[in-house]
Amino acid sequence: MIDRARLSELRATEEQRFVETHPRSGELSARAGESLLAGVPMPWMTRWPGAFPLFCESAEGARLVDVDGHEYVDLCLGDTGAMTGHALPQVREALLQQAGRGITTMLPSPDAVWVGEELARRFGLPRWQLALSATDANRFVLRFARHLTGRPRIAVMDWCYHGTVDETLAVLDGDRVVPRPGALGPQVDVAATTAVVPFNDLEALDRRLSEGDVACLLMEPALTNIGIVLPDEGYLAGVREITRRHDVLLVNDETHTLCAGPGGATRAWDLEPDLLVVGKPIAGGIAAAAYGMTQEVADRLSGPMLGHEIDVAGVGGTLTANALAVAAIRATLSTCLREEDFDRAVPLAERFTAGVDEVIARHGLPWHVQRLGCRAEYWFCPPPRDGAAAAAAVDEELEGFLHLWSLNRGVLLTPFHNMALLSPRHTEADVDRHTEVFGEAVAALVG
C-alpha cells in the first residue's frame, strides 16, 4: 500500500533537512572519521537515521539535547540502558560519594549485600553474582550450564539476541543452524555449539531437547530484540515442563523484558527459571549486570566457585562489581524500577499504543502495534509469532524514513527497530507528540 517512489522522494527531503539543521553534528562526524573506525566509538552508532550520527550534548529525564541545540523527546532511552530516565540525581550523588571513597578495589563493598538481597526479593531467585554487562552475565551462565550438565550445546530462540555472546549469534536456515547475518568472524561453527528453535513452537523445542546434548535454554520470555513477539498462551509453561523433563537448565534473559515490571516477566508471569540474567538499566546508566540462580543451582556451583582456580575459570573480570557500579545499582534499585514507577510508565505505553493504533486504523493499513509493559513497537504487518517472521517483516526503507521524519521533528526512537520505551519521566504530552508526528508521516506516505 506504500508508493515506493513517493517514499524515496520523502526520504530524500528528510535527509536534506537533517543535514541542513545539524551542521555541528556533521562537523564532529567528519572529524571523528579521521580517528574512529566507522567515525563512531561503537559501530552500531552508525545505525541512526540521517547522513551522520547525532552528537549528544546532554540528556536529562526523558529529554536529550544535541550539539546543535535541538531538544528531543527520547523514546530510545539508550536502548533500555536509561530506562529510568537520564541523569538521575540519586545516582549522581551515590557516584560522587563512592568516587571519593574509592572506585575499584577487588573487594566487596557494603552496598553489595543490599544489592544481593534486593535482587533476590525482586526476582525470587535466592543467589546472585554481578557482571559488567548482560553479555558477560550470559557468557558466565552458559559456562556454568555446560559445567553442571556435562553437555556441549546451548539452545536459543531463532533470531534471538543476547549481546555479543558467540554461541547465541545463530539462526535457522531451514533445518540448519547457521551464523546470524552480519556476525563477524565466528570463532567456531555455531552448528557445533548451538541448537536453535523457533519461538512459540513447543513441538520443535521438545524434539530438539530430546537429543540430550543441550545444557541450557537461554531465552527472553518475550522476544524484544527482533521486535516484540509475545508468547502464546501456555507457551512459557510448556517451555518449563519440557526443559525439566529433559534436564535442561532454563535461563531467562530479562535485560529488555524488565519492562514488564520490577521483577521482569519472571515475576509478572510467575515463571520459574533456573537462572536469570538482567542488565542495562539496573545501575541508572552505569555499566552493570547481574545473574541469579535457584538454591539448587547455587549448591551445585558452590564447590567450583570457592576453588583456587576460579580466577581463570572464564568467569569474572577485574572491574566487575567495582564499588562505583554497585553503589549505582543500590541507588537505582532503591529509588527506581519500583511498582510505583511502572504504575506511571505502563499507562504511558498504553497511551502510545492506542495513539499509533488509531493512526493505523484511520489509514486502513495492515500494520500492528505491540506492547510489553512500558515498551511498545509498531510493525508493518500483522503481529508475528516467531523471530523468523519478525525478521522477514523488517522494511528498512520504510523504517528509516519514519525514524528520520520523527527525529527531524524532535522525537527519538530506538534505531534498530520501531521501539519506544516509556519511563516515569515522560509525560502524556510527550506521547501525544509522537502520535502527532507519526500521524503526519503516515499521512504524507499514503497521500
Side-chain angles (χ1 to χ4, degrees), residues 1-3 356-369 378-383 398 402 438-439 441-447:
M1 298 180 67
I2 300 301
D3 183 334
V356 170
D357 197 46
E358 189 279 327
V359 172
I360 292 171
R362 186 194 322 153
H363 293 281
L365 294 167
W367 297 0
H368 177 76
V369 58
Y378 48 86
W379 295 90
F380 308 127
C381 64
L398 185 53
L402 287 168
F438 179 75
V442 174
L445 273 173
V446 302

Side-chain angles (χ1 to χ4, degrees), residues 42-386:
M42 279 288 289
W44 47 253
M45 291 180 178
T46 62
R47 291 284 304 275
W48 290 97
F52 43 79
L54 286 181
F55 280 71
C56 179
E57 181 66 36
S58 64
E60 183 175 0
R63 299 276 169 153
L64 183 148
V65 179
D66 69 21
V67 293
D68 288 289
H70 303 297
E71 184 176 88
Y72 303 87
V73 175
D74 186 4
L75 297 174
C76 173
L77 295 178
D79 194 22
T80 309
M83 181 176 165
T84 57
H86 298 287
L88 294 170
Q90 59 271 38
V91 173
R92 180 173 65 243
E93 183 61 28
L95 293 175
L96 287 171
Q97 290 185 9
Q98 185 58 55
R101 298 195 298 266
I103 292 173
T104 187
T105 62
M106 286 191 71
L107 295 169
S109 66
D111 288 334
V113 179
W114 186 96
V115 166
E117 293 170 346
E118 174 63 10
L119 290 168
R121 184 192 70 81
R122 281 179 177 248
F123 294 98
L125 292 167
R127 299 290 182 175
W128 288 83
Q129 285 278 282
L130 299 184
L132 271 178
S133 69
T135 289
D136 276 348
N138 281 322
R139 285 195 184 103
F140 303 159
V141 164
L142 297 186
R143 281 183 173 272
F144 289 147
R146 287 191 294 263
H147 170 78
L148 291 174
T149 65
R151 297 175 177 176
R153 283 186 171 83
I154 61 102
V156 296
M157 294 296 160
D158 195 21
W159 290 94
C160 69
Y161 185 73
H162 299 284
T164 57
V165 182
D166 288 304
E167 300 100 310
T168 66
L169 296 173
V171 296
L172 287 174
D173 180 9
D175 293 331
R176 296 170 53 241
V177 175
V178 298
R180 180 169 178 154
L184 297 177
Q187 59 178 338
V188 296
D189 183 356
V190 287
T193 63
T194 309
V196 180
V197 295
F199 193 72
N200 275 327
D201 190 335
L202 291 174
E203 182 179 342
L205 177 66
D206 192 14
R207 185 169 57 250
R208 183 59 188 84
L209 297 192
S210 70
E211 295 183 29
D213 60 346
V214 170
C216 71
L217 171 64
L218 172 61
M219 66 177 293
E220 293 183 295
L223 298 185
T224 65
N225 281 282
I226 193 63
I228 298 171
V229 180
L230 297 177
D232 291 344
E233 185 175 354
Y235 171 68
L236 295 176
V239 168
R240 182 66 281 195
E241 188 278 325
I242 290 168
T243 51
R244 281 182 172 143
R245 177 154 43 85
H246 294 294
D247 293 323
V248 172
L249 294 169
L250 176 60
V251 185
N252 280 359
D253 185 344
E254 292 271 15
T255 299
H256 274 194
T257 53
L258 184 60
C259 64
T266 294
R267 176 172 155 190
W269 299 342
D270 294 322
L271 307 180
E272 298 179 351
D274 298 297
L275 300 107
L276 183 149
V277 170
V278 65
K280 288 194 177 182
I282 65 170
I286 297 296
Y291 54 102
M293 62 200 74
T294 63
Q295 188 62 51
E296 178 185 1
V297 171
D299 289 344
R300 294 168 66 189
L301 283 173
S302 61
M305 292 295 281
L306 296 173
H308 178 70
E309 295 180 334
I310 190 60
D311 58 318
V312 293
V315 174
T318 304
L319 297 180
T320 298
N322 66 78
L324 195 71
V326 177
I329 297 174
R330 180 171 185 173
T332 301
L333 295 185
S334 62
T335 61
C336 300
L337 302 172
R338 305 160 300 175
E339 292 286 357
E340 54 263 45
D341 299 304
F342 284 92
D343 287 345
R344 167 72 180 158
V346 170
L348 293 173
E350 293 171 341
R351 188 182 185 95
F352 178 98
T353 302
V356 170
D357 197 46
E358 189 279 327
V359 172
I360 292 171
R362 186 194 322 153
H363 293 281
L365 294 167
W367 297 0
H368 177 76
V369 58
Q370 194 80 287
R371 183 183 65 82
L372 174 63
C374 58
R375 185 188 303 276
E377 186 153 16
Y378 48 86
W379 295 90
F380 308 127
C381 64
R385 290 186 59 250
D386 59 47

